[in-house]
Every structure is written in structure tokens, then in C-alpha cells.
Amino acid sequence: MIKIENLVKRYGGNYALDDISFTVNEGEIVGFLGPNGAGKSTTMNILTGFLSSTSGTVTINGIDILEEPKKAKELIGFLPEQPPLYLDMTVEEYLNFVYDLKGCKLNRYKHLREVCEVVKITDVYKRLIRNLSKGYRQRVGIAQALIGNPKIIIFDEPTVGLDPKQIIEIRNLIRTLGRDHTVILSTHILPEVQAVCDRIVVINNGKIIADEKTEDITRAVQNNRRFNVKICGPKKEVLAMLKAKTGIVYAEELAERDGDATTYMIESEPGVDIRKNLFYTLAEKGWPLIGLEGVGMNLEDIFISLIDNGGEDNRRKRSRQQKSRIQISEEGGDN
Amino acid sequence: MGAIYRREMRAYFTTPIGYVFMIVFLMLASSIFCLTTIQLGERSNLFMYFTILIFLLIIIIPILTMKSFSEEKKMRTEQLLLTSPISIAGMVAGKYFAAMTMYTGTLLVSALNFYTIFKFAAEGSDPNVASIVGNHIALILVGSVFIAIGIFISSLTENQLAAAIITVAVILVLLVSGFLADLIPFYPIRMVVKWISIFTRFSYFTYGIFDYSAVLYYLSISFLFLFLTGRVFDKRRWG
């Protein structure tokens, strides 16, 4: 459906995108994950024909976006990072405008009604966009992307700035859309892609560093070896014990306090589940263990773990990106 | 193009811009008309009315054009336009024709002023209808040039005020370059500056001459600036 080959975008001497290639198949929901400034928005903007690439090709359903931009753009609905809304229009006027702009051939009244029902904005249909809350504006933005029933829908950070309830609603909506659309979604929030996407493409510094099924990434994250443990006991001795204990490669006292308990962050050796063992040791010493939780991995950790777990087969699988991968593996190897 | 044209027209009337433009234009046009014709009595001539009106366009036209692309850029709505299956030419043309509709419409309303002359003019001193029509056509053409320039400048910045001020400056320079040209001692440069001058060509119309080469000149300059506007968007994509 979407094929991106050797995409490069250079601003002066800076590479915003450095040789990116991936494909998205029909009906897939692909998450585009990366920290801020990684090149997510640039990629989205090139995909939608808003920006051009320095080199490389983007084909949408076999149509090159540079050669036949009109045809390609007809297939895409796009919600940019900031929804492109005219504040001086009502939702009705705005959606009608987008309908005209895209040159839709569907039944106007019925189609707009359907779209509004899908994103739940029917009750604000007659209101001025200026007066809508952020959540509603975002939904009007999504409605705009859905008009004309495009085969491909691209969302650039669709949940930024929304409250938790709205985030869940939008995620559910995206999952529903994924049933009969191809969806690309960019975000810097890992749980978001885990909740919604079939596949995750991880990008950092303009390079793709992983392209995996969501389960694989989830597994990598679950192989978590870091815990925060809350222990009541003499600080120095506890820390010394933790550091000396076999199976623990790293221990550190955190600033967090809870009564007479202190929190420590520990990291176990790969493949060792330290938790039970630790409990018995502490019980023996008479230092109550009052809390133990896995530390959620942040993006950096995931990058590192992805690279560590990458292994030989992955490298073979993505021989095209070999050069950049190896480079990053070397950087990651220090950790 | 149709969609953008309709949106622009609607925006002129759902925001104060359209009303401000019409009120300012009509008020100024009427008072100048009054001062240059009725008040002057026997000494009145239309040359003065049209000449002053064209200088008023310097401040009136930017009201119409300052928002056109700068607002889109600021609100990021240009992202919607540029990722829609419409051409850049269609987008620019939609904006241009909307501004032209506003301008031409208001100008035609202001032409009602002439009714008073026809009604009250002394026997045998009726103004020349052909000259009035010719001058209005010329005003529309000059307005088209100014609007094209205004749209071009608004595509360069996301600051409406900056767009308006720069537009005023550019139009002013283009208008008075004809007068300044006389101060240039070097003949070839003087001829070039004179050739560029919008006002020199306009003055033929006020004398009652319908100059086809001026029509062509105004249309080409309009087209040139609209074309450049399109290039701005192309350039930004590739930048």
C-alpha cells in the first residue's frame, strides 16, 4: 500500500531523515515511534506530499507522490500535529469545505453525518470551531482526515494534549478505523502504539532502528530487569547487601522516602528473576520489603534493548538498513 | 479552486475584514468624489477623482490581502490545503479571485457616486461615459496588480501586520516610481523605471485614452506575482 524507499531529507547539512525504508501493507495499523525531533513529522509530511524529499521515493498504492501528487493525495487522509482548523468556521462549514476541497463524490449529507457520528461530534456540528475544547478540535481534525473515505489515514501525534479519557476514546477510534483503513500513527508514547498498532517502526535521529511486530517489542519491554524496591532497614547496609548480591548487576539508592523505608533501584542480570530470592534474603535479615515494582522503560531504554535484542536474524532481515543499524549497535554496546 | 474561493468569500463576511474593507473604501471614495467634483463646481474634473482613488488603494488593498496566506501559515491550515488533491495554481487562483470579487464589487458600488453628476450636471456638461467606464476598467486592472502583489507578500510571512506594511511600501514605490524617474539623470535607467511605473500608464486612462498595452501590462504583472506566489509554495516544499 505504502512503500517508502531510501528516503533522505536534508536541511542544509543536517539530515532530518537518513535513508529510511519501510512498507505498510493494506489494512495494517503501523505505529511510528520515536522521541521528539526523531524525524516522525518529517516522514509524515513527505508521505502526504506536504514536503518533498531530498532523495528517495514514496509510492502510495503504486502511485509516486511526486509524479502524480493529485492521485496520491486523494488516497490519503492526514491529521497533522496541529489540526488544520479554520477557527472562524462552524464544524458544519468546515467539513463541507474539506468535502469540496477533496472533491468528494459521495453523498454529501449522508457522508458528513457518518463521519461526525464516527468521531462523535454530531452535538457540536453547528458550533464555531473557535469555541470548541481541545478534545473536540482534535476530533474535528480527525473528521477532516476521514472525509472522502481515504484508504490511508495518517495521524501525527493524535493524542497530544488530550485528557486521559479522551486519549482512550481516540485510541479506540483509531483501532476501529484500522478495520477498514490502513493507518499510520506517529507518537512518542510507547503504551499508545502497544495499545493500537499491529506493527511498530522505531525511528531515532532520522534512522529506523527497529521495525517489528508489536508483540516482539512488547516482549522486549517485558524482559524488564529493573525494579524499584522499597525496603525498611539501615540504608548503608541494605545498599551494600544489594550491591553484593549475586544476580544483581546494579543497585542505587533513590531519593524517594516512605516513612522509614527507602527506595532502591536495582537491575538484575539478564535472564535472572531476582524477586523471590531477594524477598527471602530480606526476610532473613529482618528488613521488611514493603514495595517492589518493575520500572517502566522509557524510549531510550527501549532503543537500547531493541538494539541489544536485535541479534543476527533481525540484522539479516533488514539488510537494507544494515549500515545504520550497526552504527547504532556500536553506540548502544557501551551501555 | 472553487472550494477555496467560496471559503475566502465566506471568511470575508464572517470576519470583520470584508466589512472594514467595504466601509473604508466606500467612505473614502465618496468623500473624495464629493471634494473633487461637486464641491469644486465648474472647475471639477474626473482626472483628480481617479488619481486620488488610485493612491487610496495603497492602504485599502492590503486590508484584503494581508490575511490571505499569512493566516493559513500561522494556523497551519496550509497543511490541509497542500495535502489536498488540489493544485497550487488552483489554491492561489481561488484566493486571488475572491479578493478580486470583493474589490470589484465594492468599486462598482462606489461607481454609484456618478449618479449625482448625471442627475445634477448642467445642461450640455454631462461627463463622458466612455471615459468613466474606461477609468473603472483601469482601476480594476490596477487593483488586480496590487492584489497579486499583496497575496505574494502575504505568502512570504506569517505575520499579517508585516504583510500589510510591506505591501503598502511595495505598492507605494511602484506607484511613485514614475515621479522619481524624472530625477534620474541616466536615460536608460530612467526609461526602465518609467516603464515599470504603474501610475504613468494609469494616467493615460484619466486623459480618456484606452491604452491596450497598459491592459496587457497590468495583466502580466498580476500574473507574474501570482506565479511567484505559486513558486513560494513550491520552493518551501523543496527547501
Side-chain angles (χ1 to χ4, degrees):
Chain A
M1 195 89 207
I2 303 174
K3 203 166 172 194
I4 295 174
E5 278 175 293
N6 305 99
L7 208 58
V8 175
K9 178 71 181 176
R10 208 175 55 212
Y11 291 108
N14 293 335
Y15 283 86
L17 294 179
D18 189 0
D19 199 11
I20 279 189
S21 303
F22 67 92
T23 51
V24 179
N25 303 318
E26 187 152 6
E28 242 181 342
I29 306 184
V30 172
F32 211 52
L33 182 71
N36 292 323
K40 294 183 306 253
S41 290
T42 308
T43 311
M44 308 256 134
N45 283 332
I46 292 174
L47 269 182
T48 52
F50 180 64
L51 287 178
S52 64
S53 52
T54 308
S55 69
T57 54
V58 175
T59 46
I60 313 276
N61 225 359
I63 304 165
D64 190 309
I65 186 98
L66 287 178
E67 276 163 21
E68 293 180 88
K70 259 191 183 175
K71 264 189 169 173
K73 285 173 185 176
E74 274 170 14
L75 297 171
I76 301 176
F78 179 38
L79 172 69
E81 210 170 339
Q82 188 184 334
L85 305 173
Y86 292 99
L87 302 184
D88 55 352
M89 290 174 121
T90 65
V91 176
E92 180 183 15
E93 287 167 351
Y94 176 69
L95 294 181
N96 272 296
F97 166 63
V98 176
Y99 181 95
D100 291 336
L101 200 62
K102 294 191 176 179
C104 291
K105 299 279 186 291
L106 302 157
N107 178 318
R108 181 187 291 259
Y109 178 77
K110 214 176 115 201
H111 180 55
L112 292 186
R113 226 187 135 98
E114 272 169 16
V115 168
C116 286
E117 263 156 36
V118 169
V119 298
K120 299 200 183 94
I121 51 172
T122 314
D123 48 333
V124 295
Y125 195 53
K126 299 275 181 196
R127 282 177 57 186
L128 217 53
I129 294 178
R130 182 185 302 283
N131 300 334
L132 297 183
S133 67
K134 170 105 182 143
Y136 269 117
R137 286 186 190 186
Q138 193 74 14
R139 280 188 227 189
V140 177
I142 295 176
Q144 163 272 122
L146 298 183
I147 283 177
N149 241 332
K151 284 192 174 158
I152 300 162
I153 301 175
I154 298 178
F155 293 117
D156 196 353
E157 310 213 345
T159 58
V160 166
L162 299 182
D163 69 36
K165 185 168 163 272
Q166 291 166 333
I167 290 179
I168 291 169
E169 281 175 3
I170 300 270
R171 282 182 194 165
N172 286 337
L173 173 64
I174 293 171
R175 217 176 298 137
T176 322
L177 291 173
R179 286 191 207 129
D180 35 35
H181 298 271
T182 304
V183 180
I184 301 183
L185 158 89
S186 93
T187 177
H188 58 261
I189 307 161
L190 180 71
E192 187 155 297
V193 275
Q194 281 181 312
V196 177
C197 303
D198 306 326
R199 218 177 83 210
I200 301 180
V201 175
V202 185
I203 181 172
N204 193 21
N205 288 330
K207 290 176 183 146
I208 290 182
I209 57 172
D211 179 352
E212 324 244 353
K213 287 241 156 62
T214 306
E215 300 98 76
D216 296 342
I217 298 233
T218 310
R219 202 176 305 134
V221 176
Q222 276 166 351
N223 272 344
N224 193 357
R225 287 151 39 202
R226 280 193 209 164
F227 301 97
N228 278 347
V229 287
K230 229 183 244 184
I231 301 166
C232 305
K235 271 189 265 173
K236 274 186 192 158
E237 285 169 53
V238 173
L239 191 61
M241 184 279 289
L242 288 173
K243 279 189 171 159
K245 189 158 178 54
T246 50
I248 294 180
V249 290
Y250 180 76
E252 178 196 334
E253 187 189 327
L254 301 179
E256 211 177 302
R257 297 266 153 22
D258 177 8
D260 59 344
T262 311
T263 308
Y264 306 87
M265 205 265 291
I266 60 169
E267 188 176 334
S268 66
E269 273 172 22
V272 176
D273 188 350
I274 194 73
R275 289 173 292 184
K276 284 181 197 165
N277 194 321
L278 180 66
F279 168 79
Y280 288 123
T281 313
L282 289 169
E284 233 169 69
K285 299 251 184 191
W287 298 330
L289 173 70
I290 63 168
L292 187 151
E293 57 173 359
V295 179
M297 288 177 114
N298 60 26
L299 269 182
E300 310 286 286
D301 299 332
I302 293 163
F303 291 155
I304 291 161
S305 80
L306 279 174
I307 291 155
D308 287 348
N309 296 343
E312 282 308 310
D313 56 318
N314 276 341
R315 199 166 291 164
R316 233 180 297 125
K317 212 163 62 189
R318 282 184 301 281
S319 56
R320 228 188 274 140
Q321 290 142 27
Q322 203 169 36
K323 203 185 83 203
S324 61
R325 278 191 62 87
I326 292 171
Q327 212 175 328
I328 289 181
S329 299
E330 280 163 5
E331 287 164 19
D334 300 339
N335 289 283
Chain B
M1 181 185 122
I4 294 192
Y5 175 81
R6 282 192 295 277
R7 199 210 89 75
E8 283 297 303
M9 287 308 287
R10 191 195 302 253
Y12 279 131
F13 291 103
T14 51
T15 58
I17 297 279
Y19 300 103
V20 170
F21 171 77
M22 290 172 86
I23 290 169
V24 172
F25 190 123
L26 292 176
M27 260 173 52
L28 288 173
S30 309
S31 22
I32 289 155
F33 187 81
C34 185
L35 288 172
T36 56
T37 57
I38 299 166
Q39 301 262 321
L40 287 183
E42 284 177 1
R43 287 172 293 125
S44 75
N45 72 38
L46 293 173
F47 166 80
M48 211 142 94
Y49 170 65
F50 288 113
T51 306
I52 297 180
L53 201 57
I54 198 174
F55 276 91
L56 284 179
L57 292 185
I58 297 174
I59 47 166
I60 295 173
I61 293 288
I63 301 178
L64 274 186
T65 60
M66 63 182 188
K67 248 175 87 156
S68 71
F69 281 112
S70 52
E71 177 97 339
E72 304 269 3
K73 196 174 180 184
K74 195 170 174 190
M75 301 306 295
R76 303 285 182 89
T77 42
E78 67 172 4
Q79 224 161 350
L80 170 67
L81 303 183
L82 293 173
T83 57
S84 296
I86 52 162
S87 61
I88 289 177
M91 180 176 85
V92 176
K95 296 255 177 198
Y96 167 75
F97 285 120
M100 276 307 278
T101 309
M102 280 298 291
Y103 168 67
T104 312
T106 317
L107 181 70
L108 292 182
V109 173
S110 79
L112 290 175
N113 289 332
F114 285 94
Y115 172 76
T116 52
I117 299 199
F118 285 104
K119 180 143 173 115
F120 299 111
E123 197 71 26
S125 65
D126 274 350
N128 184 338
V129 178
S131 160
I132 292 173
V133 172
N135 270 298
H136 276 94
I137 293 175
L139 270 176
I140 292 172
L141 290 169
V142 172
S144 152
V145 172
F146 291 174
I147 285 173
I149 292 173
I151 288 179
F152 170 66
I153 289 169
S154 89
S155 75
L156 297 175
T157 169
E158 55 183 80
N159 186 331
Q160 282 185 42
L161 194 65
I165 292 170
I166 297 171
T167 308
V168 168
V170 171
I171 296 179
L172 187 67
V173 167
L174 280 179
L175 259 187
V176 300
S177 65
F179 306 126
L180 296 177
D182 293 334
L183 304 174
I184 301 172
F186 190 50
Y187 178 76
I189 295 179
R190 186 163 71 228
M191 286 320 287
V192 169
V193 175
K194 272 222 154 135
W195 189 88
I196 293 171
S197 167
I198 289 172
F199 186 73
T200 317
R201 286 167 196 272
F202 183 75
S203 54
Y204 299 138
F205 287 92
T206 58
Y207 299 139
I209 304 163
F210 196 87
D211 180 3
Y212 288 99
S213 74
V215 173
L216 196 64
Y217 163 84
Y218 290 137
L219 291 179
S220 332
I221 300 280
S222 308
F223 179 79
L224 173 71
F225 277 100
L226 294 177
F227 175 76
L228 288 177
T229 312
R231 297 298 303 160
V232 168
F233 286 98
D234 257 355
K235 167 78 173 52
R236 196 174 315 143
R237 262 183 78 202
W238 291 94

